[in-house]
C-alpha cells in the first residue's frame, strides 16, 4: 500500500483541507498506515501535480487554506491499485531481534521492555474497543461492515500481541528461576 492510495481513500470519503485530512487520518487509517502530517502535505502536492486531486482555496478560513477533492484520474489510479495483487507484510519487529540477542547473550533485561509493550498493546486494544462500542452497534451499512472488519483486524492483532507478550514475560520469568 502506498500513502497516496490511503489519502485518495480518505478524500473520497470526504473532501477536506490538508489539516483536516491529517487529523482524520490519525483517527482512522493512521491506525494501520502511519504518516506524519508533513508526509501527507507532500503527497497532496504530488497528487495535485499528477492530476489526481484538485484544491480550491477555502473562503473565510486562514489564508492559503485549501480543500482537496479527488479527480477522475485519482479515482482511476485508486481503482487500478485496488485490482493489483499485494503480498502480505512480513513481521519486522526489533523486539524479536532483541529477544534473539537476549537468548544468545544470556542478558535477561527484557521483562521491563515486555511489560512496557504489554501496556501499550492493552491501551491500543482499549482504544479499538471504545471505537467498536461507539461506532459499530446495531444494524450496519455495507460500508460500515467493511470498516468494522478493519477494526476487527486491529482488535485481533492487539489481542494476539497481548497473549504473546504475556507468554514471553512468563517464559523469561521462568528462565530466571
Amino acid at each position: 500500500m502506498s500513502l497516496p492510495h490511503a489519502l485518495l481513500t480518505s478524500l473520497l470519503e470526504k473532501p477536506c483541507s490538508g489539516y483536516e485530512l491529517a487529523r482524520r487520518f490519525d483517527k482512522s487509517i493512521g491506525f494501520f498506515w502511519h504518516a506524519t502530517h508533513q508526509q501527507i502535505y507532500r503527497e497532496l502536492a504530488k497528487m495535485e501535480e499528477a492530476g489526481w486531486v484538485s484544491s480550491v482555496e477555502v473562503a473565510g478560513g486562514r489564508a492559503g487554506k485549501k480543500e482537496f477533492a479527488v479527480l477522475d484520474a485519482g479515482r482511476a489510479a485508486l481503482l487500478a491499485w485496488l485490482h493489483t495483487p499485494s503480498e502480505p507484510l512480513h513481521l519486522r519487529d526489533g523486539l524479536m531481534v532483541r529477544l534473539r540477542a537476549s537468548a544468545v547473550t544470556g542478558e535477561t533485561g527484557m521483562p521491563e521492555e515486555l511489560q512496557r509493550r504489554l501496556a501499550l498493546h492493552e491501551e491500543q486494544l482499549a482504544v479499538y474497543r471504545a471505537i467498536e462500542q461507539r461506532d459499530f452497534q446495531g444494524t450496519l451499512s455495507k460500508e460500515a461492515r467493511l470498516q468494522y472488519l478493519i477494526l476487527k483486524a486491529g482488535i485481533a492483532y492487539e489481542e494476539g500481541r497481548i497473549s504473546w507478550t504475556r507468554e514471553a514475560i512468563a517464559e523469561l520469568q521462568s528462565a530466571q528461576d
Side-chain angles (χ1 to χ4, degrees):
M1 180 167 142
S2 69
L3 181 55
H5 298 107
L7 297 176
L8 287 169
T9 299
S10 192
L11 286 171
L12 280 171
E13 291 172 339
K14 181 182 177 193
C16 59
S17 71
Y19 176 76
E20 292 163 335
L21 179 62
R23 287 190 51 152
R24 283 184 32 234
F25 198 88
D26 287 345
K27 295 177 182 176
S28 60
I29 292 174
F31 285 125
F32 51 90
W33 190 265
H34 177 74
T36 66
H37 290 204
Q38 292 81 9
Q39 288 172 311
I40 290 171
Y41 284 109
R42 278 194 306 267
E43 284 302 322
L44 284 171
K46 290 177 189 175
M47 291 180 351
E48 188 167 25
E49 189 175 301
W52 287 9
V53 298
S54 65
S55 68
V56 294
E57 272 204 41
V58 177
R62 64 168 179 71
K65 180 178 179 181
K66 297 178 182 180
E67 183 172 282
F68 292 87
V70 177
L71 297 172
D72 290 342
R75 179 180 280 278
L78 183 61
L79 291 174
W81 172 79
L82 276 173
H83 293 94
T84 303
S86 64
E87 298 301 316
L89 293 178
H90 296 283
L91 180 61
R92 182 179 175 178
D93 187 343
L95 179 64
M96 301 304 128
V97 178
R98 290 175 68 190
L99 278 172
R100 288 288 296 254
S102 178
V104 170
T105 64
E107 174 62 40
T108 58
M110 293 298 298
E112 295 83 12
E113 175 61 8
L114 288 168
Q115 288 289 350
R116 187 184 76 78
R117 294 277 188 110
L118 177 60
L120 292 172
H121 287 297
E122 288 172 337
E123 287 173 21
Q124 190 61 52
L125 179 60
V127 168
Y128 288 160
R129 290 291 187 194
I131 293 169
E132 181 180 42
Q133 288 300 309
R134 184 191 70 212
D135 296 343
F136 298 105
Q137 300 302 307
T139 305
L140 302 174
S141 67
K142 179 182 177 184
E143 180 183 357
R145 288 193 314 268
L146 292 175
Q147 290 172 343
Y148 191 23
L149 275 176
I150 298 163
L151 179 65
K152 285 180 177 181
I155 289 169
Y157 174 80
E158 295 302 337
E159 289 175 339
R161 295 307 290 193
I162 289 167
S163 176
W164 178 88
T165 305
R166 287 180 177 153
E167 181 181 347
I169 290 168
E171 184 62 36
L172 287 173
Q173 287 173 343
S174 71
Q176 290 179 351
D177 297 338

